[in-house]
Amino acid sequence: MSIFSKLLKKSSPQQGIVLYYLIAIIVAFLLLNLPFVHKPGVNVSPIDTLFVAVSGISVTGLTPVNIVDTYSAFGQIIILIILNIGGIGVMAIGTVLWVVLGKHIGIRERQLIMLDNNKDTMSGTVKLILEIIKTIVTIEFIGALLLAFYFYRDNPDLNNALMQGLFVSISATTNGGLDITGQSLIPYANDYFVQTIVMFLIILGSIGFPVLLEVRAYIRNRVSHFRFSLFTKITTTTYFFLFTFGVLAILALEHNNAFKGLSWHQSLFYALFQSATTRSAGLQTIDVTQLSDATNVIMSILMFIGSSPSSVGGGIRTTTFAILILFVINFNNNSEKTSIKVYNREIHVVDIQRSFAVFTMASILTFVSMIIILATEKNNLSFLQVFFEVMSAFGTCGLSLGVTDNISSITKVVLMILMFIGRVGLISFIIMISGRKEPDKFSYPKERIQIG
């Protein structure tokens, strides 16, 4: 039995997920060191190659090197493969390989698939994974065709149009944030067709796989009494609330700053795209260094919240944010138990506890990371730059204030850890480090303490 198999057998399901993602990063690192991956005469340091590998598997988009100047066409295809592995999920890709090779998918594998996709039961896990992959690949294919056709119209070079269309489509759908223009989507700042397509791809990738599958089932079946799950209702409501809030905040804060002198539709599309990309996409149509400090703080908070669970993105996730807000709204100081009732349903107390655990752990993690980076970089980076970069890494977003290529190795390691945890998920990470705890067989007398 191999060392990996022995480790996997002894590990908990949560540790198994982390182990699989670590193996995926090692594989991505090795792939990025293959011959002909880099352009002739280009040398990339091992730490930068590892950074790109982690960024790809975590579908973040932060990179210390310029993709178009560093990687050949073969290298760019390798990056697309890495983005899909990270975006769809390591366990999802593994499931497809198991099915293709005719390997039996046992209880252990089903547990890992269940955890990787935030499911509560193992029933239907394999079917779910195959449906997710089919849906994501279909979205990427349609997006690539539309964009390639459009790019070919402007530049009649078929190979370039196909590569550009495919790269943008996969990068947007997986919320990878990497690009091969060297300027993200800034060259298409006034091209509303490209922006609209990319925004749709970002939303479809980050709103959550269960939402996509439920919407598809609703459209297919045309059931008059079809009932969307509470997860879908909360996810979509919160997602579009944050999206709308982001648009209005950016418009208000940049009206007399970066958007000054622009037409209403230019300002609107800048705000729409930047709000959409903070879900965890990382692509941009405007250099974020041109935006005010207030706007960058708002965008950092949106990146910290991130995308929906069971999606391609990171952060504390939209449902965590929604439950925290609903808890505050429903808080009753005179009751021993504050229940959250929404959409004629009551949220389970375990989910409320998990939300607070995720928020607390995320806050501590990002706070400590900022302290380490500020101490390491000293006077090289401002507090806002560090805050923005940390939130971007944790939210697996990939937006940057232009400092990623000028940071120390220690800072790169800190950001890689944040990207990794953001992709694996805080619940799996918390359970992994806390270990398995047997339920208490006794209880102590309860006593009240003053709060606030």
Side-chain angles (χ1 to χ4, degrees):
M1 187 182 288
S2 66
I3 296 175
F4 175 70
S5 298
K6 290 180 180 178
L7 285 172
L8 190 61
K9 189 174 182 180
K10 292 180 179 179
S11 64
S12 67
Q14 289 77 18
Q15 291 168 336
I17 287 291
V18 173
L19 192 58
Y20 266 109
Y21 272 96
L22 285 172
I23 295 297
I25 288 171
I26 293 170
V27 171
F29 176 77
L30 295 175
L31 287 174
L32 290 173
N33 279 291
L34 288 174
F36 311 114
V37 163
H38 302 112
K39 287 189 172 180
V42 174
N43 292 313
V44 182
S45 66
I47 186 72
D48 286 342
T49 300
L50 180 62
F51 196 98
V52 174
V54 175
S55 184
I57 290 296
S58 64
V59 285
T60 303
L62 287 174
T63 171
V65 297
N66 189 305
I67 300 298
V68 68
D69 294 334
T70 305
Y71 296 99
S72 63
F74 174 65
Q76 291 169 14
I77 292 172
I78 293 294
I79 289 174
L80 288 181
I81 294 171
I82 292 171
L83 285 176
N84 262 326
I85 292 173
I88 296 173
V90 173
M91 293 312 304
I93 299 299
T95 303
V96 172
L97 291 176
W98 284 328
V99 171
V100 170
L101 296 174
K103 184 180 182 298
H104 173 67
I105 301 175
I107 298 296
R108 179 68 175 181
E109 288 82 3
R110 292 175 190 270
Q111 275 186 320
L112 294 172
I113 296 166
M114 177 188 76
L115 287 168
D116 198 25
N117 289 274
N118 291 309
K119 276 179 64 67
D120 295 320
T121 62
M122 286 189 288
S123 61
T125 49
V126 175
K127 184 180 178 182
L128 170 71
I129 289 300
L130 296 178
E131 287 295 316
I132 287 172
I133 292 176
K134 189 192 303 181
T135 302
I136 293 299
V137 170
T138 301
I139 292 169
E140 290 177 345
F141 179 72
I142 294 172
L145 278 182
L146 290 171
L147 291 169
F149 175 78
Y150 191 79
F151 292 147
Y152 181 76
R153 193 191 68 171
D154 290 341
N155 180 17
D157 182 341
L158 184 59
N159 290 334
N160 180 68
L162 287 173
M163 176 56 82
Q164 181 75 356
L166 187 64
F167 205 100
V168 172
S169 179
I170 292 177
S171 185
T173 307
T174 62
N175 282 206
L178 297 174
D179 68 275
I180 54 174
T181 65
Q183 304 175 71
S184 194
L185 291 181
I186 292 175
Y188 303 96
N190 296 314
D191 195 321
Y192 301 149
F193 177 81
V194 172
Q195 290 184 48
T196 302
I197 295 296
V198 172
M199 280 191 286
F200 268 113
L201 293 175
I202 290 170
I203 292 170
L204 291 174
S206 60
I207 202 167
F209 301 140
V211 176
L212 297 180
L213 296 180
E214 283 193 33
V215 170
R216 193 180 70 171
Y218 174 75
I219 294 172
R220 274 185 175 181
N221 299 329
R222 299 285 183 181
V223 181
S224 57
H225 298 292
F226 186 91
R227 187 180 71 83
F228 286 104
S229 67
L230 181 61
F231 171 82
T232 294
K233 291 176 181 178
I234 291 179
T235 296
T236 51
T237 303
T238 309
Y239 190 102
F240 288 109
F241 167 78
L242 291 170
F243 175 69
T244 304
F245 169 77
V247 172
L248 296 176
I250 293 170
L251 279 174
L253 293 170
E254 297 302 322
H255 178 68
N256 289 318
N257 186 43
F259 299 166
K260 191 174 184 179
L262 299 179
S263 63
W264 68 268
H265 48 84
Q266 285 179 305
S267 299
L268 177 61
F269 266 88
Y270 273 135
L272 285 169
F273 197 92
Q274 292 312 122
S275 181
T277 201
T278 54
R279 290 282 60 73
S280 78
L283 295 168
Q284 58 193 61
T285 55
I286 187 173
D287 186 352
V288 292
T289 59
Q290 297 178 20
L291 303 177
S292 66
D293 290 353
T295 298
N296 282 326
V297 169
I298 292 292
M299 289 174 63
S300 298
I301 293 170
L302 291 174
M303 290 189 291
F304 176 76
I305 296 171
S307 61
S308 302
S310 298
S311 73
V312 298
I316 64 170
R317 312 300 166 93
T318 53
T319 47
T320 302
F321 173 75
I323 289 174
L324 293 175
I325 297 300
L326 288 170
F327 181 86
V328 172
I329 293 172
N330 289 274
F331 179 72
N332 184 355
N333 193 45
N334 297 318
S335 174
E336 290 188 6
K337 177 186 174 184
T338 298
S339 61
I340 299 177
K341 298 179 178 66
V342 59
Y343 293 119
N344 298 318
R345 293 290 185 273
E346 188 169 323
I347 295 175
H348 200 289
V349 66
V350 172
D351 293 328
I352 299 174
Q353 293 171 344
R354 284 180 176 179
S355 297
F356 276 93
V358 166
F359 178 74
T360 303
M361 190 67 188
S363 300
I364 293 171
L365 190 66
T366 52
F367 183 71
V368 171
S369 298
M370 283 189 285
I371 291 175
I372 294 172
I373 294 174
L374 285 168
T376 302
E377 300 296 334
K378 295 182 180 177
N379 298 322
N380 295 332
L381 300 178
S382 68
F383 178 81
L384 179 61
Q385 287 174 321
V386 173
F387 181 67
F388 193 92
E389 217 77 8
V390 164
M391 294 308 172
S392 180
F394 173 72
T396 68
C397 183
L399 290 175
S400 174
L401 291 177
V403 301
T404 315
D405 53 348
N406 294 314
I407 53 178
S408 65
S409 296
I410 294 175
T411 300
K412 288 176 183 177
V413 171
V414 171
L415 293 179
M416 282 191 281
I417 292 171
L418 285 171
M419 290 189 288
F420 179 76
I421 294 173
R423 182 64 190 95
V424 170
L426 271 170
I427 288 293
S428 293
F429 182 72
I430 292 170
I431 295 174
M432 184 197 74
I433 61 175
S434 62
R436 294 179 178 177
K437 293 182 179 179
E438 293 294 329
D440 292 332
K441 296 179 180 179
F442 60 90
S443 61
Y444 292 111
K446 295 178 182 177
E447 187 171 338
R448 299 292 299 270
I449 60 173
Q450 294 181 3
I451 300 294

